[in-house]
């Protein structure tokens, strides 16, 4: 309860309001007054401000040459596409090798299974024959 009384104390709220209003006054006066007083007159004969195409600062920082960055971006895109194509080709070659290996292994397994089945059948027939 003491904390709430301290936070909502009218004297503290009044002090915060004064600080806020003083900051607002400082902000408004410097923002509105600085631009007018800091720009010198171009000539003394009738011109009170900068030329139409000239901003507050005389240098042009809005126009940039991006051709080097564009060329680098294009080069990086081409390299990425080549890497994708190469990895796709490598994957296809690897898949073809894997299919060949898997097919050979399946054929070997089928041959072994057939031999095993023939041997089991022969053993079964020998067991079922009456001893002569």
């Amino acid at each position: 309860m003491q904390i709430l009384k301290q936070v909502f104390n009218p004297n503290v709220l009044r002090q915060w309001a004064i600080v806020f209003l003083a900051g607002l006054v400082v902000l408004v006066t410097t923002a509105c007054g600085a631009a007018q007083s800091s720009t010198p007159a171009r000539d003394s004969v009738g011109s009170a401000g900068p030329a139409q195409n000239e901003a507050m600062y005389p240098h042009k920082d809005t126009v940039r040459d991006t051709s080097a960055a564009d060329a680098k971006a294009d080069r990086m895109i081409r390299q990425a596409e080549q890497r994708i194509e190469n990895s796709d080709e490598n994957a296809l070659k690897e898949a073809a090798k894997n299919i060949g290996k898997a097919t050979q292994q399946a054929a070997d397994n089928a041959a072994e299974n057939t031999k095993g089945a023939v041997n089991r059948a022969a053993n079964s027939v020998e067991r079922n024959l009456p001893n002569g």
Side-chain angles (χ1 to χ4, degrees), residues 1-129:
M1 194 66 177
Q2 290 295 331
I3 294 174
L4 289 176
K5 285 182 182 178
Q6 289 176 354
V7 170
F8 292 110
N9 187 355
N11 290 331
V12 173
L13 292 176
R14 187 178 316 127
Q15 290 173 351
W16 279 108
I18 290 171
V19 169
F20 175 74
L21 291 176
L24 189 62
V25 168
V26 169
L27 179 69
V28 169
T29 56
T30 54
C32 296
Q36 295 171 357
S37 64
S38 67
T39 55
R42 297 281 295 171
D43 2 26
S44 59
V45 183
S47 147
Q52 283 184 347
N53 62 354
E54 188 176 317
M56 179 182 284
Y57 302 106
H59 60 81
K60 301 273 185 187
D61 63 346
T62 57
V63 179
R64 294 193 171 110
D65 182 24
T66 60
S67 61
D70 292 339
K72 184 176 181 180
D74 290 338
R75 187 180 72 242
M76 292 175 74
I77 289 170
R78 281 192 310 271
Q79 289 174 350
E81 288 172 349
Q82 287 174 354
R83 273 188 247 122
I84 290 171
E85 288 175 8
N86 289 341
S87 66
D88 287 346
E89 289 174 6
N90 291 340
L92 289 175
K93 289 177 184 176
E94 193 66 33
K97 288 178 185 176
N98 289 342
I99 289 173
K101 289 178 183 177
T103 304
Q104 183 63 39
Q105 189 175 8
D108 292 343
N109 288 343
E112 288 178 21
N113 290 340
T114 305
K115 287 179 185 176
V118 168
N119 289 339
R120 283 190 303 273
N123 289 339
S124 178
V125 168
E126 286 179 8
R127 279 189 232 138
N128 290 332
L129 286 176

